[in-house]
Amino acid sequence: QVQLVESGGGVVQPGRSPRLSCAASGFTFGTYGMHWVRQAPGKGLEWVAVISYDGGNKYYADSVKGRFTISRDNSKNTLYLQMNSLRGEDTAMYYCAKESGSSTGMDVWGQGTTVTVSS
Amino acid sequence: QSALTQPASVSGSPGQSITISCTGASSDLDDYKYVSWYQQHPGKAPKLIISDVSHRPSGVSNRFSGSKSGNTASLTISGLHTEDEADYYCSSYTSRTFYVFGTGTRVTVL
């Protein structure tokens, strides 16, 4: 079935640079745009970044621009989020999500991976 | 800072209908034509329930409906069920910030 599985989260010291991964299966990964969305504990959803189906276009939220980089490897059906210069306010559950394709909106979500920034 | 404002909470009794608003701060009325709505139960990932303002994805109950007037989008839940108790978020592509979520609304079934 269609599935997204995130990994790479954990407790990270401020200033460190972890990379999150999102493994896709059950659909043709290379034909869909992909997003990262995060949710701080007890807070609402915050859009982080998007990448087009071929990796040619990328957009970021102002809160992460210049620190985070979204990328993808269509040969490995995997989405990435390189996170640099982490701050306490980056502590959150990070979800990857697939664009619908037939309409706007994100129709498939992973279960999320938690990133806790703490010394 | 989110550009889409939602009420913090809405409540209703089983069988009733409720409506959640989502208001854009931008004066550009062409923004927010790609409004989506998501349902999130505690500890779970969000689920797409409405896309493109009023399109209901396959498998989503027809008790959920979406609309838009001016710079305000709305989600209506008809015939409220106990399992509808969850957080609801609107979202949209925008010309200013590319994509944004609403502030979120907690729906309580009394």
Side-chain angles (χ1 to χ4, degrees):
Chain A
Q1 74 278 24
V2 177
Q3 193 173 11
L4 297 172
V5 179
E6 301 93 337
S7 61
V11 178
V12 183
Q13 291 182 327
R16 303 288 279 194
S17 303
R19 186 179 76 164
L20 304 183
S21 299
C22 169
S25 59
F27 65 99
T28 308
F29 178 72
T31 61
Y32 293 94
M34 296 292 296
H35 295 256
W36 285 100
V37 176
R38 69 183 180 183
Q39 187 169 34
K43 302 297 184 182
L45 301 176
E46 180 187 14
W47 175 76
V48 173
V50 63
I51 186 168
S52 60
Y53 70 99
D54 61 355
N57 292 293
K58 307 172 185 180
Y59 299 92
Y60 300 90
D62 288 343
S63 58
V64 306
K65 198 173 298 181
R67 298 189 302 123
F68 290 9
T69 301
I70 189 172
S71 62
R72 66 190 300 161
D73 186 336
N74 288 344
S75 68
K76 296 182 178 179
N77 291 340
T78 303
L79 174 73
Y80 302 101
L81 185 68
Q82 178 66 49
M83 309 166 71
N84 296 332
S85 304
L86 280 182
R87 308 163 179 166
E89 54 264 40
D90 296 317
T91 293
M93 177 74 80
Y94 285 76
Y95 296 100
C96 63
K98 165 188 167 292
E99 286 191 340
S100 168
S102 60
S103 66
T104 59
M106 305 171 201
D107 65 347
V108 180
W109 293 66
Q111 84 290 347
T113 187
T114 300
V115 174
T116 302
V117 182
S118 174
S119 55
Chain B
Q1 186 173 353
S2 174
L4 302 180
T5 301
Q6 301 178 230
S9 62
V10 174
S11 62
S13 300
Q16 286 187 330
S17 294
I18 61 170
T19 296
I20 302 169
S21 62
C22 170
T23 301
S26 172
S27 60
D28 182 353
L29 298 182
D30 282 341
D31 274 359
Y32 316 124
K33 55 185 174 182
Y34 300 117
V35 178
S36 295
W37 289 89
Y38 299 88
Q39 176 192 61
Q40 186 180 34
H41 288 105
K44 301 294 187 181
K47 173 188 175 184
L48 179 66
I49 56 173
I50 295 288
S51 63
D52 291 349
V53 176
S54 58
H55 173 75
R56 202 169 41 247
S58 175
V60 174
S61 171
N62 58 10
R63 298 185 298 102
F64 294 96
S65 61
S67 64
K68 180 177 174 291
S69 177
N71 66 336
T72 297
S74 299
L75 173 71
T76 298
I77 309 175
S78 305
L80 205 57
H81 290 184
T82 54
E83 59 263 33
D84 298 332
E85 189 161 288
D87 293 326
Y88 292 82
Y89 296 90
C90 62
S91 69
S92 181
Y93 290 90
T94 85
S95 59
R96 291 183 301 110
T97 60
F98 191 83
Y99 201 87
V100 66
F101 283 99
T103 50
T105 298
R106 173 68 54 87
V107 169
T108 302
V109 182
L110 302 171

